[in-house]
Amino acid sequence: MSFEKCQAVVLRTVEWSETSLIVTLFTDSFGKIGAIAKGAKRLKSPFESALDLLSRSSVVFMMKSGDSLDLLLEAKLQRRFRGVQAGLLPLYCGYYAGELVNALTENHQPIPGMLDSLSRTLEQLESGSNPAETILNFELDTIRRLGHLPSWQWCVACGEAIENDRPTIAFSTAGGGVVCPQCVPMHRQILRIQGRTLQILAEYSDGEQMVREPMGLGTLTPPNVRTEIRTVMESILQYHADRRLRMLDYLEDLKR
Ligand SMILES: [Zn+2]
């Protein structure tokens, strides 16, 4: 057992007893952790508001071995998520970002840069950024960090370059990317997507996009392309999370 100190964002809290919570945190140094926060539900909680959903806090915890929950000893609030000030959609997008990180990561497996990527996304949502663009950036950034970024340009089966001037292009979620016409018969579940959709996904997959000027997703992009982008992303995330993420039901407006 050892005492660990790190930065964290609160992904989830559930009641554990009359006075205590089980918290799921994403930390910079230890990846995701599940910890018991004793006394967190008391009126005078030692954690105050540092365990509110999506708060960024600096925490001290005692790491337990095996599958046991860690023990949270201290949490000091650094930044609260105020997505609701920007509206309901940014608020839901924030909850979704937290759910996404929780669903795709394992306990005690650090992912360099992931905590800052999540914090930056929450700040962008609060400050009125385009939610569709912010979420797409975050989703692609997350799957890239986890090594799940699909191949948007080369056939996953034979490596052939895919010309995106065809009316539609085949995409295999399980296969991990686009599939050329010759290789399509080898794949069972195929999505048919437009070249423009692929082009946008490829552009946003470039890590530099996070810091570049917004490309106007949501105003310049036709609704059918926006809908397709969501269909492809939902399919990829459902595949890697092994389930459909709950908050997606609240994000239908990203398609419009
Ligand atoms: Zn091929």
Side-chain angles (χ1 to χ4, degrees):
M1 272 187 286
S2 55
F3 293 97
E4 310 291 357
K5 191 174 179 179
C6 58
Q7 292 283 307
V9 166
V10 180
L11 300 181
R12 189 164 183 255
T13 62
V14 289
E15 291 191 10
W16 184 56
S17 70
E18 248 170 61
T19 55
S20 303
L21 293 175
I22 292 177
V23 294
T24 306
L25 307 173
F26 193 84
T27 71
D28 50 357
S29 316
F30 305 92
K32 187 170 70 178
I33 66 166
I36 295 174
K38 289 188 178 166
K41 286 174 64 197
R42 285 186 208 279
L43 222 50
K44 285 199 167 172
S45 155
F47 306 106
E48 295 179 353
S49 55
L51 298 182
D52 289 351
L53 200 57
L54 300 176
S55 284
R56 180 159 174 154
S57 300
S58 84
V59 303
V60 178
F61 68 99
M62 190 188 281
M63 199 186 283
K64 298 288 179 79
S65 56
D67 286 340
S68 311
L69 287 164
D70 299 326
L71 182 64
L72 190 67
L73 300 168
E74 207 180 292
K76 285 205 173 73
L77 180 71
Q78 302 218 310
R79 201 173 192 289
R80 191 173 281 136
F81 175 54
R82 295 192 169 89
V84 71
Q85 289 178 356
L88 266 188
L89 185 59
L91 178 73
Y92 292 153
C93 285
Y95 292 159
Y96 168 69
E99 186 187 12
L100 182 68
V101 172
N102 193 9
L104 294 184
T105 57
E106 303 288 338
N107 279 4
H108 299 163
Q109 289 184 7
I111 303 166
M114 185 76 240
L115 182 74
D116 286 337
S117 169
L118 176 59
S119 294
R120 185 168 56 234
T121 299
L122 297 175
E123 284 170 33
Q124 287 171 346
L125 289 167
E126 285 173 345
S127 63
S129 68
N130 178 319
E133 189 159 57
T134 307
I135 282 302
L136 180 61
N137 264 331
F138 181 67
E139 289 170 326
L140 290 167
D141 183 71
T142 301
I143 59 176
R144 184 180 51 244
R145 287 178 200 280
L146 296 170
H148 300 321
L149 198 61
S151 167
W152 305 120
Q153 278 147 314
W154 293 278
C155 172
V156 286
C158 71
E160 193 87 358
I162 302 278
E163 295 153 28
N164 62 12
D165 53 358
R166 295 170 184 280
T168 64
I169 294 152
F171 179 85
S172 163
T173 303
V178 288
V179 183
C180 77
Q182 287 74 37
C183 297
V184 162
M186 295 190 293
H187 293 264
R188 266 186 297 163
Q189 280 174 337
I190 289 281
L191 292 173
R192 294 268 166 197
I193 57 178
Q194 302 171 63
R196 177 71 187 132
T197 303
L198 261 187
Q199 198 189 337
I200 291 176
L201 288 166
E203 282 170 13
Y204 275 80
S205 295
D206 170 2
E208 300 300 307
Q209 188 55 46
M210 292 287 274
V211 291
R212 255 193 257 141
E213 285 294 300
M215 289 191 291
L217 188 72
T219 48
L220 301 178
T221 312
N224 62 344
V225 171
R226 292 207 296 271
T227 304
E228 260 188 15
I229 290 172
R230 294 313 311 154
T231 304
V232 174
M233 291 314 299
E234 288 183 14
S235 168
I236 295 169
L237 296 164
Q238 177 161 347
Y239 179 77
H240 291 293
D242 251 343
R243 63 183 167 89
R244 182 178 157 81
L245 300 184
R246 204 171 47 88
M247 282 310 297
L248 283 175
D249 293 343
Y250 298 85
L251 302 186
E252 288 295 307
D253 280 352
L254 295 183
K255 297 177 181 171
R256 297 187 187 110

